[in-house]
Structure formats: structure tokens, C-alpha cells
Amino acid sequence: MIFLIISLILTFLLTAFVSGNNMSAAVGTLIGSRIIGKNAGLSIGAAGFISGLLLEGDLLKDASSLLPDSYIYVTYAFLISFLIFIIANIIRAPLSLTMALAGTSIGISLKISYKIDSSLIDKMILFWMAAPVISIIISYISERVFFRGPKREVWRTASLIKVLLIISSFFTAFTLGSNTLGFIAVIEGFNFITLAIMIISIITGSFFLSAGVIKRVGQEMYLMRYSNALVSLLVSSFLVEAATFFSVPLSNTQTLTSSVFGVGISYKYKAIYIKPFIIIVMTWIIAPLLGLILGYIA
């Protein structure tokens, strides 16, 4: 019983911090560019998180097999992942909670000799390796083909992009809710109590833990225009949505950062600040490995 209570508390904390931390990726451009106000932007993000969790979160049920159905192991997995996530935020490295939690779950399962479906791990590795490459290529091509050259109706085009940006921001939040938050939910147990706690946590995290709305993805790496942000959000979201239907946990941070990079290199190399990207690529490798090691020795 004690482990059930602790795991639910950790579910609340993980959900709150993930929601607050990822709000900048979903609606940071909307708020920063003043297309809409802060409260409206946060409401769109929170609504997207909740909708994705409720409508598609259970599609990640196959991924719950990475860990035995025991609140003891769930508690350990959540605690280790939470500590990794907090440390990453302190050093301002946008580390993937998804990858850390997956690595931790695998590490715990290996330690107790719990048999994991190898096909699921194969799919995860395939998606984790292919998604950044696909994001960069599609974003690069899309930006050069669809958003370059003279435009006859500049104001109408700008207005259309603003509307599409609002829609794509909601969709980005939706895919995070269905994938990352869905992953947390299926591991804890996709039931009424878990969902109720997570909804309260999403609202808490969205409105009280997202003060830095414009962060590294949209500001330090590349000075994004409306079209840049639109391409990045759409490419990232569709890849995460595809992974969700295959029940594969995939990092929004990974796909969005790759998309931003693809958009950036479609202009000039000097427009990209390479150092933040190097840090993020390192965290993609470190997160699952660190989780696996800590999960194994815990």
C-alpha cells in the first residue's frame, strides 16, 4: 500500500514537471510572439496535454511491459527518472524523461531477470535513431520548398500561418500528452485514479511550473520565424503521433530539437548555435544509459 501511495505521488510530480517543462516547446512561440496572451497559450497547452492523455494515452500500453506490474518497481523507476529529470533541468539540459524512464525500466527488469519483449526494444531503438534524422530531412525540405520565395499576399499568408501555428501548438501538446504522459500513465496503471491525479498535475505544472516560456529550443538555438516554428512543430508532432500508434515512447524534445535544426540549416550555417545541439545530443545518449545503469544498481 505504501508503494502505491508513493508511486502516485511520484506520478503527480513527474507529470507536473513534464507539463511545465514542455509547455515552452508547445506554446512558447505563440506566447513569445504575442499571437495570443500567456493565459490563453497555457490553456491551449494544458488542454492539449489532457486531451492526448485521455484519448490516446492507453495506446502506450505495450510499452508498460518494459517493467513488471508491481508498485515497488514502478516506484523505483519513477524515483530514479524523476531525479535524473530534475538534475537535467538544473543544468538546463532538455533531457528526455521518456528515454530516462524507458532506460530505468529496462535496467530494473534486467536486474530481476524479468523477460522483456525484444521486439519492443527493437522498435524503440529504431524510432529513437530514425526520428531525429527524419525530422531534420523533412524540416529542411519543407522550409525550402513551402516557405521560400516571394509571396504576393504577405498579410494573408502571415495570418494563415498564425492560425496554423495555434493548431500545431495544440497538436504538439496533444502528442506529448498521448506519448510521454501516456507512458507514465500506463506504467502507473491506466485507471480513473491515475488519470484524475495526472489531470490535476497537468494543470498545476502548466500554470505554475512554466515560467520560462521561451527557452532553448525556440530562442538560443535559432531565432525562429512563424514559418520556422510551424514546420518544426508539425514535423515533430507527426513523428511522435506515429510512434504512439506503434506503442513506442518517443521524446518530443528529441524530435522537436531535430526539426528546429533542420529548419535552421535550410538557411545559413552560422544562424545555428551548435553548442546547445551538441549538449542535447549528448543527453539523448546519456539519459537512457544513465537510467539503465541506475535502474540496474538500485
Side-chain angles (χ1 to χ4, degrees):
M1 186 64 178
I2 184 66
F3 282 102
L4 170 59
I5 295 174
I6 295 174
S7 68
L8 287 173
I9 293 173
L10 289 171
T11 296
F12 180 90
L13 292 174
L14 278 173
T15 303
F17 277 97
V18 167
S19 300
N21 188 68
N22 285 274
M23 185 60 73
S24 61
V27 301
T29 303
L30 290 180
I31 298 173
S33 60
R34 300 186 179 181
I35 294 176
I36 59 177
K38 179 179 179 181
N39 289 333
L42 296 179
S43 298
I44 289 174
F49 294 153
I50 294 172
S51 300
L53 173 63
L54 296 179
L55 295 178
E56 294 185 353
D58 62 341
L59 293 179
L60 269 291
K61 58 182 178 294
D62 290 348
S64 64
S65 63
L66 291 173
L67 195 67
D69 186 14
S70 166
Y71 287 115
I72 296 176
Y73 298 126
V74 170
T75 298
Y76 281 128
F78 281 176
L79 180 59
I80 293 170
S81 302
F82 180 69
L83 292 175
I84 294 174
F85 189 72
I86 291 299
I87 293 172
N89 275 271
I90 291 175
I91 64 176
R92 297 187 69 227
L95 180 146
S96 165
L97 183 277
T98 304
M99 301 175 85
L101 180 56
T104 301
S105 300
I106 294 172
I108 293 174
S109 294
L110 288 175
K111 180 179 181 179
I112 62 175
S113 300
Y114 174 74
K115 185 174 177 57
I116 304 174
D117 183 3
S118 60
S119 64
L120 174 59
I121 297 180
D122 291 341
K123 284 194 298 183
M124 284 173 48
I125 294 174
L126 177 62
F127 267 91
W128 289 2
M129 293 178 63
V133 178
I134 295 173
S135 295
I136 291 172
I137 293 173
I138 296 179
S139 297
Y140 177 87
I141 295 174
S142 299
E143 180 64 27
R144 292 189 67 87
V145 172
F146 297 109
F147 294 101
R148 293 295 179 85
K151 296 180 176 59
R152 297 178 181 179
E153 299 182 11
V154 177
W155 292 111
R156 178 177 296 182
T157 301
S159 298
L160 176 61
I161 290 178
K162 288 181 181 180
V163 173
L164 292 176
L165 195 53
I166 293 174
I167 296 173
S168 63
S169 294
F170 174 84
F171 186 45
T172 299
F174 181 93
T175 57
L176 184 131
S178 62
N179 196 287
T180 299
L181 297 182
F183 187 34
I184 295 173
V186 296
I187 288 182
E188 174 61 34
F190 201 85
N191 53 54
F192 177 80
I193 295 177
T194 299
L195 294 178
I197 289 175
M198 292 184 71
I199 289 173
I200 295 172
S201 181
I202 286 170
I203 296 172
T204 302
S206 297
F207 285 90
F208 298 102
L209 298 177
S210 59
V213 221
I214 302 297
K215 292 185 180 179
R216 180 169 294 172
V217 169
Q219 188 179 50
E220 293 181 13
M221 292 183 190
Y222 187 72
L223 188 57
M224 300 183 77
R225 304 183 309 177
Y226 292 159
S227 63
N228 305 147
L230 178 60
V231 169
S232 299
L233 290 173
L234 286 177
V235 172
S236 169
S237 299
F238 276 113
L239 284 171
V240 175
E241 183 72 358
T244 299
F245 278 95
F246 282 95
S247 198
V248 173
L250 180 65
S251 167
N252 287 63
T253 302
Q254 185 186 43
T255 54
L256 181 58
T257 303
S258 302
S259 298
V260 172
F261 186 80
V263 168
I265 61 176
S266 71
Y267 285 83
K268 294 181 179 180
Y269 181 81
K270 66 180 181 181
I272 298 291
Y273 293 94
I274 297 297
K275 184 178 178 180
F277 282 100
I278 294 176
I279 294 175
I280 291 174
V281 170
M282 290 175 61
T283 64
W284 294 346
I285 300 171
I286 293 172
L289 290 179
L290 181 60
L292 190 149
I293 294 171
L294 293 178
Y296 188 82
I297 65 176

